[in-house]
Amino acid sequence: MPSTRPAPARTKLLDAALNLIREKGFSATSVDELCQAAGVTKGAFFHHFESKEALGAAAANHWSEVTGAMFAAADYHHEADPLARVLGYIELRKSLLEGEPAEFTCVAGTMVQEQFGASEDIRTACRDSIFGHAATLEADISAALAAYGLSPDWTAKSLALHSQAVLQGAFILAKASSDREVARDMVDHLSRYVRSLFHRPPAQEA
Amino acid sequence: MPSTRPAPARTKLLDAALNLIREKGFSATSVDELCQAAGVTKGAFFHHFESKEALGAAAANHWSEVTGAMFAAADYHHEADPLARVLGYIELRKSLLEGEPAEFTCVAGTMVQEQFGASEDIRTACRDSIFGHAATLEADISAALAAYGLSPDWTAKSLALHSQAVLQGAFILAKASSDREVARDMVDHLSRYVRSLFHRPPAQEA
DNA sequence: TTGAACATACCAACTGGTTGGTATGTTGTC
DNA sequence: GACAACATACCAACCAGTTGGTATGTTCAA
């Protein structure tokens, strides 16, 4: 049987990074803190990552994998109607707005905000995380356009990105106000917008 | 005659902070860098601000004043139709997306993203900046609702905040992709959404 | 009107602690 | 016994913040 081996230092560091970066940002998180949170020494850190910057880029990729697996396993994919899948995705994102900002916030968005000018590796890793995730949504939007026979003056890609923009902006407002309800309202507006684009009734407000 | 007196150190430091925070984030900007950019010594810094954190909060307030004056003087206020004022505001925000991210990005959004958990003073100053700005938009939205005889299931305040969320999210996508056109597309979606809420035709796409 | 008392604005040099990073082990496994 | 995976000990650079000081007002009583 596959007995649970102790998590290797590299994974422990990446998991710790996901939490610490969302709590305090990348710059304000020191290598020592990372090591302490991961229960690992500095030697282990620099054995697995050639620099703090390299860990940042790796953490963004790790974030893509963790969240990618989570969204891939979500229920909304089972909806037959592609628009229902899109709206289901949005409702899932809303339901995820629980607990503290550091728990529901996006690592890639947080990190790229402060590191976009300092590290090209981190920037591209965060870009791939955000835009890659948007691409999974773009497919359902395209299918919905086909199913509803629409050819609007906006692209599926731009609407997928817009949804990410709303979410990222909602995170900022939640952090600023210490109130996740604000973020939920923003997601409601997004849902309303998508329904209007497909000429769907306002439906039930949650 | 009111000859132009040399800018005092405090103002020079705040102006420098506005640029440096947007370029590199708050944590990664050192007090020494701030002083060098402002052409001022460290003694002057700590004469005017009791800590780096205090400068951060002051910078957010300075940002509110600078941008508040700019938006207060904008043309869109002269529109008779309140909805035209809202849409004019959105178009203005789109036209502001020029140059490098550090030039069109929001200081408050950038700073609160990394400092919300570290400094309550900075967090509230950024919150006041963002939510205070949204309040100026909320008045026009309320007037538009009255003018068009609408009583929707969303509030003027939440739509004003939604517009800020879209803009903040657009900034993040622009930073991640190094492409401000992405941000412009997000603002187009916002404009389309607002028009749909007021049952206005798609109108011309810019 | 003057000058002592005080306040403001600023400066150069310094400090103790923290930073990312390195050099050199030790350990367990194939 | 060789190599990856760690640990320990350390360092130079940098960090926010402090020090003791100067130059330039401003206030107000004699």
Side-chain angles (χ1 to χ4, degrees):
Chain A
M1 70 188 154
S3 70
T4 54
R5 284 190 299 175
R10 187 187 147 89
T11 303
K12 287 195 288 185
L13 281 165
L14 288 174
D15 287 338
L18 261 32
N19 292 323
L20 281 172
I21 289 169
R22 287 188 289 181
E23 269 171 38
K24 351 197 325 165
F26 180 76
S27 296
T29 300
S30 72
V31 174
D32 284 321
E33 272 176 306
L34 248 359
C35 293
Q36 196 172 6
V40 148
T41 62
K42 225 166 178 178
F45 183 102
F46 285 100
H47 173 73
H48 290 287
F49 306 101
E50 72 170 8
S51 65
K52 186 190 174 187
E53 178 184 348
L55 167 112
N61 292 330
H62 186 54
W63 175 248
S64 299
E65 288 163 23
V66 170
T67 58
M70 189 233 131
F71 283 109
D75 277 344
Y76 68 85
H77 293 292
H78 297 95
E79 297 276 358
D81 177 10
L83 178 58
R85 291 201 293 275
V86 176
L87 295 172
Y89 165 83
I90 293 172
E91 278 308 301
L92 172 59
R93 294 308 301 258
K94 185 182 169 186
S95 74
L96 256 20
L97 296 170
E98 280 297 340
E100 294 301 303
E103 295 167 45
F104 59 73
T105 277
C106 174
V107 171
T110 301
M111 193 157 40
V112 79
Q113 177 106 355
E114 45 167 334
Q115 295 299 314
F116 77 100
S119 166
E120 193 68 2
D121 286 355
I122 290 179
R123 205 210 90 226
T124 56
C126 292
R127 178 202 60 198
D128 292 349
S129 179
I130 296 172
F131 283 67
H133 178 67
T136 68
L137 191 60
E138 180 185 344
D140 282 336
I141 295 173
S142 289
L145 283 175
Y148 286 72
L150 298 177
S151 339
D153 57 355
W154 45 269
T155 64
K157 181 176 182 178
S158 84
L159 182 59
L161 289 174
H162 179 72
S163 70
Q164 300 311 301
V166 171
L167 287 163
Q168 296 289 348
F171 295 152
I172 290 184
L173 295 192
K175 286 176 176 178
S177 65
S178 288
D179 176 16
R180 58 179 184 260
E181 288 306 317
V182 173
R184 295 171 150 267
D185 283 351
M186 304 302 99
V187 178
D188 281 340
H189 277 289
L190 173 62
S191 181
R192 193 181 291 106
Y193 177 47
V194 170
R195 282 185 264 116
S196 89
L197 289 174
F198 286 88
H199 314 300
R200 293 255 111 187
Q204 72 300 330
E205 285 297 312
Chain B
M1 66 187 155
S3 69
T4 54
R5 285 190 297 174
R10 189 187 145 89
T11 303
K12 286 194 290 184
L13 280 165
L14 288 174
D15 287 338
L18 261 33
N19 292 323
L20 280 173
I21 289 169
R22 289 188 289 180
E23 270 171 37
K24 352 197 327 165
F26 180 75
S27 296
T29 300
S30 72
V31 173
D32 283 320
E33 272 176 306
L34 249 358
C35 293
Q36 196 172 7
V40 147
T41 62
K42 222 163 178 179
F45 184 103
F46 285 100
H47 171 73
H48 291 287
F49 307 101
E50 73 169 8
S51 65
K52 187 190 174 187
E53 177 184 349
L55 166 111
N61 292 330
H62 186 54
W63 176 248
S64 298
E65 287 163 23
V66 170
T67 58
M70 190 232 130
F71 283 109
D75 278 343
Y76 69 84
H77 293 292
H78 297 96
E79 297 278 355
D81 177 11
L83 178 58
R85 292 200 293 275
V86 176
L87 294 173
Y89 165 82
I90 294 172
E91 278 308 300
L92 172 59
R93 294 308 300 259
K94 185 181 168 186
S95 74
L96 256 20
L97 296 170
E98 279 297 339
E100 294 300 303
E103 295 167 46
F104 60 73
T105 279
C106 175
V107 170
T110 300
M111 193 157 40
V112 80
Q113 177 105 354
E114 44 168 333
Q115 295 299 313
F116 77 101
S119 166
E120 193 67 4
D121 286 355
I122 290 180
R123 204 210 90 225
T124 57
C126 292
R127 178 202 60 197
D128 293 349
S129 180
I130 296 173
F131 283 68
H133 178 66
T136 68
L137 190 60
E138 180 184 345
D140 282 336
I141 295 173
S142 289
L145 283 175
Y148 285 72
L150 298 177
S151 338
D153 58 355
W154 45 269
T155 64
K157 181 176 182 180
S158 83
L159 183 59
L161 289 175
H162 180 71
S163 71
Q164 301 311 301
V166 171
L167 287 163
Q168 296 289 348
F171 295 153
I172 289 183
L173 295 193
K175 285 176 175 178
S177 64
S178 288
D179 176 15
R180 58 180 183 260
E181 288 307 317
V182 174
R184 296 171 149 266
D185 283 352
M186 304 302 100
V187 178
D188 281 339
H189 278 289
L190 173 63
S191 182
R192 193 180 293 106
Y193 177 46
V194 170
R195 281 184 265 116
S196 89
L197 287 174
F198 287 88
H199 314 300
R200 293 255 109 189
Q204 74 299 330
E205 286 296 312

